[in-house]
Amino acid sequence: MTSGTPGTPGTPRTPGAPGTSGKPDATGAAAGAEVEGDAEGAVEAAASAGTPTGASGSAAPGGPRRRPPTVTTDTARPEGGGRAAPGDAPAPARQWPLITVLGLAGLGLLVVGTDPFPEAFRIGAILVGAALLVGAAMRRVLPSVGMLAVRSRFTDMITYGVMGGLIVLLALMVQPKPWLRIPFLEDILHLTVT
């Protein structure tokens, strides 16, 4: 005999037991029939309740299962993830915040890649960081930013802002001839390297 509270695995549900509605459900009918030792009654109760049965003829553990949908239809849009321009505007115009961020980051990568002047790597990295900072500012200010919205507004602002700020900070501190010196960071670096 099983022990425990009704509804827990290994314990049959019985009509009228504490914690149940008083009515036999699909799992209660099947479980009650199994406890009494009547396998045919369990199969009949499962079939009448629409419960899938296994190869042995007993009801599936956990009760009836819902088949997952083949196509996801109700994925929630992130807050502020609507169109940034009217629906009749062409696709690039509707996604102008994302195109702005990608264009600025692409410009930074182009400057780094072509190396047209002596400090190009530093300027290019600053442009990439600035692109993320612009994305954080747009995510904060604009009510709708299209596909620039990935998560909640707060999470997007923090992610874009921290990553952009770190990239700009590293670009300013990169050797040789750093534009920004932070003494305690230099001490930490010398302590860990030497």
Side-chain angles (χ1 to χ4, degrees), residues 101-117 120-132 167:
V101 170
L102 290 177
L104 193 55
L107 179 65
L109 293 175
L110 183 69
V111 168
V112 170
T114 58
D115 200 20
F117 47 89
F121 68 95
R122 190 182 312 269
I123 301 295
I126 289 173
L127 283 173
V128 170
L132 288 171
I167 290 172

Side-chain angles (χ1 to χ4, degrees), residues 160-180:
Y160 295 151
V162 167
M163 294 303 292
L166 286 175
I167 290 172
V168 169
L169 183 67
L170 289 173
L172 293 173
M173 296 178 64
V174 71
Q175 297 289 334
K177 301 177 193 168
W179 292 358
L180 176 66

Side-chain angles (χ1 to χ4, degrees), residues 7-179:
T8 58
T11 306
R13 291 185 184 180
T14 55
T20 62
S21 63
K23 301 178 197 170
D25 60 353
T27 57
E34 282 183 7
V35 169
E36 295 170 5
D38 184 8
E40 287 181 17
V43 171
E44 289 174 15
S48 67
T51 305
T53 58
S56 65
S58 63
R65 299 197 181 223
R66 185 174 155 236
R67 181 179 294 162
T70 56
V71 177
T72 303
T73 57
D74 331 6
T75 303
R77 176 185 293 166
E79 58 180 293
R83 294 184 176 126
D88 58 347
R94 291 193 308 259
Q95 298 299 330
W96 71 266
L98 179 66
I99 291 172
T100 302
V101 170
L102 290 177
L104 193 55
L107 179 65
L109 293 175
L110 183 69
V111 168
V112 170
T114 58
D115 200 20
F117 47 89
E119 295 287 329
F121 68 95
R122 190 182 312 269
I123 301 295
I126 289 173
L127 283 173
V128 170
L132 288 171
L133 292 173
V134 166
M138 282 196 285
R139 192 68 174 102
R140 172 68 177 111
V141 173
L142 298 176
S144 182
V145 291
M147 291 193 314
L148 188 61
V150 179
R151 298 157 293 265
S152 70
R153 187 178 308 271
F154 177 77
T155 304
D156 280 344
M157 287 183 337
I158 296 299
T159 304
Y160 295 151
V162 167
M163 294 303 292
L166 286 175
I167 290 172
V168 169
L169 183 67
L170 289 173
L172 293 173
M173 296 178 64
V174 71
Q175 297 289 334
K177 301 177 193 168
W179 292 358

